[in-house]
Amino acid sequence: MSVPDYDGTNSPQTLTRMLDSHDTKDAKIRLLKKIKDDCFKNVSAYKKKYRKLKRIDTLIDISNSLLTGISISCTISGMTFPLLLIASAGLSGLTFVSSRVQDKANLKAKYTSHNQTFQNYSDLARSITVVLAKNNLSQAEYHNFIQEVLDKISLIENSQLF
């Protein structure tokens, strides 16, 4: 028996409907394996998003630090060359705009959210793996565990930033 109609969306309605349609122990185990596989897919997707956003935020921080350092150097050197004071003002303005864009993009909150989400999916996948390794649960115990997994998935999805 395969897992019908599983589209990997993890919507509570889809998974609850599937849980109710799987009335044998083997079908519940297959459903758990599918959910676990989907959790691992989500882990890799959110980890990729986390790394990308973290890299962008780090590059903006580094560029702001460099611009600030150059601006200070231009200000100090500007005591003898007045044109460097204009360059210093321009660099300070560029640093300010870059900082505001970084704050408005809210990259730190986004990559922190993605980090937390992939860790939550990873923890959930590990707990499913542990339950599947036990292999001595009854059909009712699998049913209750799948219901707990669905609740955890709902919590993970509700805690994400959009």
Side-chain angles (χ1 to χ4, degrees):
M1 213 180 165
S2 67
V3 181
D5 303 329
Y6 185 71
D7 57 4
T9 60
N10 277 347
S11 70
Q13 296 82 12
T14 302
L15 293 173
T16 302
R17 178 177 40 86
M18 291 178 60
L19 178 61
D20 293 338
S21 70
H22 290 72
D23 54 354
T24 66
K25 182 178 174 179
D26 290 335
K28 291 186 187 310
I29 290 172
R30 281 193 294 279
L31 178 60
L32 266 178
K33 287 179 182 178
K34 283 292 208 181
I35 294 170
K36 180 187 73 163
D37 292 342
D38 193 49
C39 285
F40 282 128
K41 287 177 189 173
N42 286 335
V43 165
S44 63
Y46 280 102
K47 190 181 284 191
K48 187 183 292 185
K49 290 177 186 178
Y50 162 75
R51 287 180 178 161
K52 179 182 176 184
L53 291 173
K54 177 77 170 152
R55 191 175 308 120
I56 291 169
D57 190 60
T58 301
L59 287 173
I60 292 173
D61 284 341
I62 290 171
S63 67
N64 284 345
S65 296
L66 287 174
L67 289 173
T68 301
I70 294 170
S71 175
I72 291 170
S73 297
C74 287
T75 302
I76 292 170
S77 300
M79 302 303 174
T80 57
F81 300 110
L83 274 138
L84 290 178
L85 289 175
I86 296 170
S88 173
L91 291 172
S92 295
L94 189 60
T95 302
F96 175 74
V97 169
S98 177
S99 296
R100 293 298 97 208
V101 167
Q102 184 180 22
D103 288 344
K104 291 298 179 187
N106 205 11
L107 293 175
K108 286 181 182 24
K110 288 179 183 176
Y111 75 71
T112 302
S113 174
H114 288 314
N115 184 28
Q116 187 64 41
T117 301
F118 91 71
Q119 288 178 357
N120 288 338
Y121 274 121
S122 180
D123 292 344
L124 183 60
R126 279 194 300 270
S127 68
I128 292 171
T129 302
V130 167
V131 167
L132 288 172
K134 287 182 182 177
N135 204 19
N136 61 350
L137 299 177
S138 69
Q139 181 178 344
E141 290 172 325
Y142 277 117
H143 185 87
N144 291 336
F145 180 72
I146 291 173
Q147 197 61 50
E148 288 176 22
V149 167
L150 298 180
D151 293 340
K152 288 178 184 178
I153 288 171
S154 293
L155 287 173
I156 291 170
E157 289 178 351
N158 287 339
S159 67
Q160 306 178 69
L161 287 178
F162 293 101

